[in-house]
Amino acid sequence: MIFNNFEAVYYTVLMMVPGFIMNMGYNYILPTREGQAPIYLVRFIVFSCVNFAFAWPMINKLIQSRYWEQHPFRWSIILGLIVLLLPYVIGIFTGIAAERDWIRKLLLKTGINPVHPSPTAWDYIMSNDSSYVIVTLKNGFVIYGLFASKSLASTVPTEKDLYLEEIFELDENEEWLPKAKGIWISGPEILHIEFLISENKEEKDEEPERRE
């Protein structure tokens, strides 16, 4: 079978774009390890096949009825939703399932010990719930802060910088007192980070308990 230029572009879009969009949705929740271009191409094709597998019952029914002949505009809308929206939704859901270890916990119950989906420990701990933290820099300086919904931890493998939405200082009784609105910390300057135990991490005015 020989394809003309339009058909080649058409089938390339159908086989690559849904996988690319699904990969975007997955990476939005859980960044993946970097790979070479051929690996990404195979991933996009596999993701596209998964997307069309979910949509196949509806696609098959519409094809058999030659739906595009009677409703060309609606057919274009449906095809756009299948190619653009559905894979992103599947990617988001798959990312959430991987981040919350739903699939991994299920496999562990069957005796299978899979590789954790988080590419690094940094990505794993920074995707968890909010927490009070103690950041020790390489020069010995210590920062007391809150890592919560308005904070940000870089997902770029080579740039592990950190933004804490609020920082504190300790008084003579070692109670945490608000000091500033926030602080940006360069990744190469971080020596280690301690995550503290708090009964209610969402309450900023509650003193965290340091884990010994």
Side-chain angles (χ1 to χ4, degrees):
M1 180 181 296
I2 300 177
F3 299 116
N4 58 38
N5 292 336
F6 175 78
E7 290 176 334
V9 173
Y10 177 77
Y11 287 111
T12 300
V13 169
L14 287 182
M15 291 307 300
M16 296 296 295
V17 171
F20 174 77
I21 294 177
M22 187 182 298
N23 189 69
M24 285 180 55
Y26 183 88
N27 285 341
Y28 181 77
I29 302 297
L30 188 65
T32 56
R33 296 177 176 87
E34 291 185 340
Q36 299 178 347
I39 297 177
Y40 275 108
L41 292 177
V42 173
R43 178 184 297 174
F44 295 162
I45 294 174
V46 172
F47 282 2
S48 294
C49 292
V50 172
N51 178 68
F52 286 119
F54 276 96
W56 176 247
M58 181 177 64
I59 294 176
N60 185 49
K61 183 178 179 180
L62 295 176
I63 291 177
Q64 289 181 353
S65 64
R66 304 183 70 85
Y67 187 81
W68 62 88
E69 294 182 351
Q70 299 178 358
H71 308 284
F73 180 74
R74 293 181 184 177
W75 169 256
S76 300
I77 296 297
I78 293 173
L79 192 61
L81 293 176
I82 292 174
V83 174
L84 301 176
L85 181 60
L86 179 62
Y88 193 78
V89 173
I90 297 175
I92 288 288
F93 178 81
T94 305
I96 293 174
E99 181 191 32
R100 299 185 179 180
D101 282 347
W102 293 343
I103 300 176
R104 188 168 184 269
K105 290 177 181 177
L106 180 62
L107 293 175
L108 288 174
K109 290 182 179 180
T110 63
I112 302 175
N113 187 16
V115 176
H116 199 281
S118 296
T120 64
W122 172 275
D123 295 300
Y124 170 74
I125 192 62
M126 291 305 179
S127 65
N128 287 339
D129 295 334
S130 59
S131 176
Y132 288 97
V133 297
I134 300 177
V135 182
T136 302
L137 305 183
K138 292 180 179 179
N139 61 7
F141 188 77
V142 178
I143 300 173
Y144 302 85
L146 174 66
F147 182 82
S149 59
K150 296 181 181 179
S151 303
L152 180 65
S154 173
T155 57
V156 179
T158 57
E159 297 291 339
K160 298 299 184 183
D161 60 342
L162 178 66
Y163 171 73
L164 301 177
E165 62 186 70
E166 188 172 359
I167 59 175
F168 303 83
E169 61 182 357
L170 301 185
D171 62 9
E172 61 277 5
N173 297 321
E174 295 192 351
E175 293 184 354
W176 289 41
L177 302 177
K179 180 180 179 181
K181 182 178 180 180
I183 187 172
W184 174 82
I185 307 173
S186 175
E189 300 301 320
I190 299 175
L191 179 61
H192 61 76
I193 304 175
E194 298 176 66
F195 296 84
L196 307 185
I197 299 173
S198 176
E199 295 180 358
N200 186 355
K201 295 178 182 178
E202 298 299 327
E203 293 294 334
K204 296 182 181 180
D205 57 350
E206 181 177 327
E207 179 187 356
E209 174 186 351
R210 181 166 182 170
R211 183 173 56 191
E212 300 297 337

